[in-house]
Amino acid sequence: MRKILAVFLVGVFCAVGVSPQSVAQPYEKPPPFLFINQERILPGSRRGQALLAEEDEAREALVAEARAIDAAFEQEELALNERRDQLSPEEFRELAADFDRRVIQARQDQDDKSAELARTVDLERRQFYASVAPILVDLMDRYGANAILDEKSVLLAAQKLNITNEVIAEIDARWDESKTSAETLE
């Protein structure tokens, strides 16, 4: 088993252009790096949870609106079909064509609202992660790290180098502070 692991590691080192001898030589001071689980930051922080709740609320409102529009159109279609025998073929065709145009327009409007919501969600998430960048810089400075990697790109590392919980705690602290400042101004 050790032979297989040694062969694997030599292959990995050669693939990335590092000789096994240079890795085996001890560093005077190992290059510090940290890692985080980026996927946990948004749902793990109170600010992220609030953002996700707002997104869910907006989606649910859009779905409810679409259902209400559909229900209204279904009722209108039934009423139009009930009146069909009382209308001339030309009147019915004209009313049906108008109905179809309004249904198509309503669907397009809902598609536009959905696309706008997707753009808004994307923008808000980008802003969230942009606001996390200074926190990461502060933690890098605090630890004297040269890099912060995503947990997915780390093959093997000591868990003490994972600062995800610290990042989440700092996001929460800064968010609480900003809410307190906003309440004070009111």
Side-chain angles (χ1 to χ4, degrees):
M1 183 69 174
R2 284 184 181 211
K3 270 187 172 179
I4 293 171
L5 181 59
V7 170
F8 171 74
L9 290 175
V10 168
V12 169
F13 293 138
C14 290
V16 296
V18 178
S19 72
Q21 292 77 20
S22 67
V23 173
Q25 297 172 353
Y27 290 106
E28 287 184 18
K29 184 175 182 182
F33 73 94
L34 303 167
F35 65 93
I36 61 172
N37 181 324
Q38 289 186 73
E39 292 176 359
R40 280 188 44 220
I41 293 174
L42 185 68
S45 64
R46 287 190 301 274
R47 180 172 171 222
Q49 290 166 2
L51 181 62
L52 292 172
E54 289 172 10
E55 290 173 7
D56 287 343
E57 187 177 308
R59 278 189 202 93
E60 288 171 9
L62 191 59
V63 167
E65 180 183 18
R67 285 184 182 144
I69 291 169
D70 285 346
F73 278 132
E74 285 175 16
Q75 290 299 317
E76 187 177 343
E77 183 178 25
L78 289 173
L80 182 60
N81 282 328
E82 286 175 4
R83 292 181 51 207
R84 184 177 198 155
D85 293 338
Q86 302 163 356
L87 301 170
S88 71
E90 296 81 29
E91 288 176 311
F92 180 78
R93 274 194 297 273
E94 189 177 304
L95 291 172
D98 178 59
F99 175 80
D100 289 344
R101 279 191 297 274
R102 289 185 294 115
V103 168
I104 290 168
Q105 183 60 52
R107 287 184 180 151
Q108 182 60 52
D109 291 346
Q110 288 304 111
D111 288 347
D112 292 346
K113 288 178 183 180
S114 181
E116 180 59 32
L117 177 60
R119 283 189 292 275
T120 300
V121 164
D122 182 59
L123 176 64
E124 288 175 351
R125 286 187 182 201
R126 287 175 190 259
Q127 290 171 340
F128 171 83
Y129 285 110
S131 73
V132 172
I135 293 170
L136 297 177
V137 170
D138 289 348
L139 288 169
M140 268 181 56
D141 290 344
R142 187 179 311 158
Y143 283 96
N146 293 322
I148 297 178
L149 307 171
D150 183 57
E151 186 175 56
K152 288 180 184 176
S153 63
V154 176
L155 181 62
L156 183 64
Q159 270 309 111
K160 67 181 179 181
L161 298 174
N162 186 331
I163 59 167
T164 304
N165 291 335
E166 290 177 68
V167 171
I168 291 170
E170 189 64 29
I171 292 168
D172 289 346
R174 290 184 186 193
W175 192 57
D176 292 344
E177 183 179 297
S178 71
K179 284 178 27 183
T180 303
S181 296
E183 289 170 1
T184 304
L185 293 175
E186 293 174 1

